[in-house]
């Protein structure tokens, strides 16, 4: 079965992006109406700069935060061979390969484009999964690369970054001078609007993140032609995650959006706002894809 776009999923992604764009226009209109003296372009420029740093240095930032290191081919020849084979299947350049020392079995991909991609695994996932299951996980991560999800999420976070900066009302009041301080009512309204916009944009981004996980699962199934391997891998990883000490998961919790399954320690509010769909829904979607493949 060829790599085929899931138009139902694509429609949801496009709709989420459209809603984020409308939210951006509404928020900019509120700023212009209630704070006519504020330098809108300065705020946008600052957000663009932050998004640029996030986009161009995402691979280095994620590797640094997870303590993952780039490894040579002779250090992990079997892992390299699997990534190389799958990259060829997906018509992608060979990414860098990294290993992360952690008892949490997981994997992630990062990088601003296919030519600057990194695929990383924890050492524990290499011991947990068999060859087919590991290849299914690697194919999932390479699907993120093929779908350019880093670019998608960076663009999606733009509205939230602007709203977040506006929420720092005292900082911006001081920064833009006395005229803005005199417009106290305008600042209060904009501050309230920024909270609402930040909350809505965050929920939309979380929805977009969940959609991209479904898309990556589908990409893995089509790339390996073995969705059952990914189903088995997800079951093993989630089962093992339940017995990993919370402190081990807490160390890498900040990078959960990148992992194939989030490592939730149970000590934060992150469990209330998931970046990933429930395992049960992912498995159900993979079962449907398995039926599709069998028809061909």
């Amino acid at each position: 079965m060829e790599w085929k776009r899931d138009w139902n999923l694509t429609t949801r992604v496009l709709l989420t992006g459209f809603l984020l764009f409308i939210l951006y226009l509404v928020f900019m209109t509120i700023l212009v109406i209630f704070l006519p003296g504020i330098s809108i372009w300065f705020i946008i420029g600052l957000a663009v700069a932050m998004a640029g740093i996030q986009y161009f240095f995402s691979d280095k930032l994620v590797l640094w935060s997870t303590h993952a290191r780039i490894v040579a081919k002779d250090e992990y020849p079997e892992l390299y061979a699997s990534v190389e084979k799958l990259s060829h299947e997906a018509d992608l350049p060979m990414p860098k390969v990294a290993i992360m020392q952690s008892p949490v079995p997981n994997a992630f991909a990062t990088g601003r484009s296919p030519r600057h991609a990194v695929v990383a695994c924890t050492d524990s996932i290499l011991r947990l999964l068999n060859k087919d299951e590991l290849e299914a996980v690697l194919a999932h991560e390479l699907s993120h690369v093929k779908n350019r999800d880093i670019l998608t999420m960076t663009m999606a976070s733009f509205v939230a970054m602007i709203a977040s900066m506006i929420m720092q009302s005292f900082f911006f009041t001081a920064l833009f001078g006395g005229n803005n301080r005199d417009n106290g009512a305008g600042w209060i309204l904009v501050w309230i609007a920024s909270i609402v916009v930040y909350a809505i944009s965050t929920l939309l981004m979380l929805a977009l993140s969940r959609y991209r996980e479904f898309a990556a699962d589908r990409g893995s199934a089509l790339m390996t032609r073995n969705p059952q391997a990914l189903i088995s891998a997800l079951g093993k990883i989630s089962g093992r995650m339940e017995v990993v000490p919370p402190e081990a998961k807490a160390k890498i919790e900040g990078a959960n959006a990148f992992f194939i399954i989030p490592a939730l320690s149970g000590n934060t509010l992150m469990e209330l706002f998931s970046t990933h769909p429930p395992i049960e829904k992912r498995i159900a979607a993979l079962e449907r894809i398995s039926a599709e493949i069998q028809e061909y």
Side-chain angles (χ1 to χ4, degrees):
M1 184 176 179
E2 297 180 357
W3 185 293
K4 188 171 64 174
R5 186 180 295 275
D6 182 338
W7 286 107
N8 183 37
L9 190 60
T10 300
T11 299
R12 282 183 282 170
V13 170
L14 293 175
L15 178 61
T16 304
F18 176 72
L19 292 175
L20 281 166
F21 178 68
I22 295 299
L23 189 65
Y24 168 77
L25 293 180
V26 170
F27 193 40
M28 288 298 102
T29 301
I30 290 172
L31 291 180
V32 170
I33 292 174
F34 292 103
L35 293 178
I38 195 172
S39 176
I40 301 297
W41 291 111
F42 180 84
I43 297 174
I44 294 175
L46 192 57
V48 168
M50 292 175 64
I53 292 172
Q54 178 182 337
Y55 176 62
F56 285 104
F57 298 99
S58 60
D59 52 344
K60 294 179 177 60
L61 291 172
V62 175
L63 291 176
W64 173 78
S65 66
T66 58
H67 304 289
R69 69 178 182 90
I70 304 295
V71 295
K73 184 175 184 178
D74 57 359
E75 291 182 81
Y76 292 87
E78 292 183 7
L79 177 60
Y80 249 86
S82 293
V83 174
E84 196 168 33
K85 181 185 79 171
L86 292 167
S87 298
H88 178 74
E89 288 282 340
D91 194 25
L92 289 169
M94 177 66 185
K96 294 178 181 177
V97 177
I99 290 293
M100 174 182 165
Q101 302 295 323
S102 173
V104 181
N106 234 311
F108 66 88
T110 185
R112 66 182 184 271
S113 70
R115 293 194 176 278
H116 299 86
V118 179
V119 173
C121 296
T122 60
D123 58 336
S124 56
I125 201 174
L126 298 180
R127 296 189 294 270
L128 179 67
L129 305 182
N130 63 35
K131 185 175 184 294
D132 287 345
E133 292 164 346
L134 182 60
E135 284 197 353
V137 168
L138 294 171
H140 171 99
E141 300 308 331
L142 286 169
S143 294
H144 280 308
V145 174
K146 189 174 182 68
N147 295 336
R148 296 179 179 267
D149 283 331
I150 294 295
L151 174 60
T152 300
M153 295 309 295
T154 299
M155 293 175 63
S157 67
F158 186 71
V159 181
M161 281 192 290
I162 293 178
S164 178
M165 287 187 287
I166 294 294
M167 282 165 58
Q168 310 301 317
S169 56
F170 292 108
F171 169 74
F172 280 102
T173 299
L175 187 63
F176 292 114
N179 289 336
N180 293 322
R181 283 194 294 267
D182 294 338
N183 189 7
W187 267 107
I188 291 173
L189 289 171
V190 167
W191 185 66
I192 293 172
S194 68
I195 294 174
V196 174
V197 168
Y198 180 79
I200 295 174
S201 60
T202 298
L203 290 174
L204 288 172
M205 281 194 300
L206 290 172
L208 188 61
S209 179
R210 291 190 289 270
Y211 296 154
R212 74 189 181 98
E213 290 302 322
F214 280 124
D217 284 348
R218 180 178 181 82
S220 171
L222 297 181
M223 199 184 302
T224 63
R225 300 172 183 82
N226 187 5
Q228 292 300 323
L230 184 56
I231 291 173
S232 177
L234 292 175
K236 282 187 178 181
I237 296 169
S238 61
R240 178 60 184 163
M241 204 79 75
E242 294 177 2
V243 299
V244 173
E247 55 271 21
K249 291 185 281 190
K251 288 181 180 179
I252 60 173
E253 207 167 39
N256 270 340
F258 293 90
F259 293 141
I260 189 168
I261 291 180
L264 299 173
S265 65
N267 297 324
T268 71
L269 291 175
M270 293 180 72
E271 290 178 283
L272 299 177
F273 302 99
S274 178
T275 56
H276 292 59
I279 291 292
E280 296 78 12
K281 289 187 176 181
R282 294 174 69 177
I283 290 175
L286 284 166
E287 293 286 8
R288 290 192 294 271
I289 297 168
S290 181
E292 288 180 33
I293 292 175
Q294 290 173 9
E295 292 176 0
Y296 283 80

